[in-house]
Amino acid sequence: MKNIIFIAPPAAGKGTISERLKENLGYVHISTGDMLREAIKNKTSLGLIVESIMAKGEYVSDDIVISLIKDKLNSLDGKPFILDGFPRTINQALELDKNILNLNYQVIYLEISKEEALKRALGRITCSCGKTYNLNVTNLKPKVSGICDACGQALRQRDDDNEEAFIIRYNNYMEKTKPIMDYYIEKNLLVMLDATKDMEKLYNDIIEVIK
Ligand code: AMP
């Protein structure tokens, strides 16, 4: 089973599919966005630095996320991992390569149009237990409106899942993250999959490429 790096526009569904791979196959799901949101929730010094940057939809600095990722990779003990939301800049990709040089990994690019990604961002609601739902995606709605199926807590929208922040996130993605694709294409490590496919089919396509 290969390690996985997901690259995709905001709200393409990286987090949701990563959680499924984690539950079914025992991957460690490493989401820099989740790590940063946790820091904000716990009001750590890191959280205070990144809170307003993230709410606006801007990227946090390479130094911050690279340091988070290095610590995480060092604690894995050889377990297979999914990188969700890292690397997002060419600097991050280069730094990552220094740390996982000898590991077997697959980069998966999840394709989605800007319109569909915006629709998903506006419909996304999350629970503090980590579950994510989407009012605009079939089969991802909670059973009871506004309540988490798994733990019963109230669901809420992320601070950056509004149209204004989405546009900034999407533009940052096009300018800084999309160029990473060429880097991985040259290394022959990238496959492209359709993120708007039925979740079951997308999951099966991923299983095929990580064998
Ligand atoms: P995500 O949960 O992946 O949508 O990330 C949410 C936000 O966290 C992004 O819009 C950025 O502000 C920040 N973030 C997460 N990962 C990175 C990264 N690798 N580089 C820069 N900023 C990041």
Side-chain angles (χ1 to χ4, degrees):
M1 220 161 52
K2 293 179 188 167
N3 298 300
I4 303 171
I5 297 176
F6 279 124
I7 298 182
K14 303 185 294 294
T16 306
I17 203 81
S18 297
E19 279 300 301
R20 244 187 106 186
L21 291 159
K22 171 182 163 179
E23 277 163 28
N24 294 349
L25 302 172
Y27 274 100
V28 179
H29 175 196
I30 305 174
S31 156
T32 37
D34 285 350
M35 290 158 96
L36 294 166
R37 279 184 289 276
E38 189 65 22
I40 293 171
K41 193 170 111 194
N42 296 332
K43 299 193 186 320
T44 66
S45 50
L46 170 64
L48 295 175
I49 294 170
V50 299
E51 187 166 17
S52 63
I53 301 173
M54 284 175 70
K56 277 187 256 166
E58 299 289 359
Y59 281 3
V60 307
S61 76
D62 283 347
D63 289 351
I64 288 178
V65 281
I66 286 168
S67 140
L68 283 178
I69 282 289
K70 274 191 184 166
D71 288 350
K72 192 73 190 175
L73 290 175
N74 284 333
S75 71
L76 285 178
D77 254 348
K79 292 193 201 103
F81 60 85
I82 298 170
L83 290 183
D84 158 6
F86 186 99
R88 264 180 157 102
T89 65
I90 200 75
N91 263 346
Q92 293 176 22
L94 293 169
E95 197 58 42
L96 179 65
D97 260 2
K98 288 188 203 154
N99 286 272
I100 61 169
L101 212 52
N102 299 318
L103 295 179
N104 192 11
Y105 67 96
Q106 176 69 57
V107 183
I108 300 178
Y109 175 76
L110 297 177
E111 274 186 296
I112 187 167
S113 68
K114 182 178 179 182
E115 294 67 34
E116 182 61 27
L118 172 62
K119 197 171 127 196
R120 288 186 178 194
L122 298 181
R124 175 159 60 186
I125 35 177
T126 60
C127 181
S128 57
C129 78
K131 290 267 176 219
T132 297
Y133 301 85
N134 202 304
L135 302 177
N136 293 335
V137 180
T138 324
N139 298 333
L140 285 184
K141 294 177 189 150
K143 291 194 182 89
V144 179
S145 168
I147 301 293
C148 178
D149 295 354
C151 73
Q153 292 187 82
L155 299 170
R156 63 179 295 271
Q157 196 169 37
R158 274 170 44 172
D159 291 344
D160 56 354
D161 275 340
N162 56 70
E163 187 158 355
E164 199 183 335
F166 175 87
I167 299 296
I168 295 173
R169 286 156 70 202
Y170 191 85
N171 290 343
N172 269 321
Y173 165 78
M174 292 303 278
E175 184 196 329
K176 298 174 183 153
T177 306
K178 201 141 188 270
I180 297 179
M181 279 174 72
D182 293 335
Y183 176 77
Y184 288 119
I185 287 170
E186 248 172 59
K187 287 173 169 279
N188 213 8
L189 283 170
L190 188 123
V191 293
M192 292 171 77
L193 297 177
D194 179 358
T196 60
K197 259 191 183 176
D198 170 76
M199 178 71 92
E200 205 54 41
K201 289 200 187 105
L202 176 61
Y203 181 81
N204 290 335
D205 287 351
I206 292 174
I207 296 297
E208 277 306 306
V209 301
I210 60 173
K211 272 183 187 161

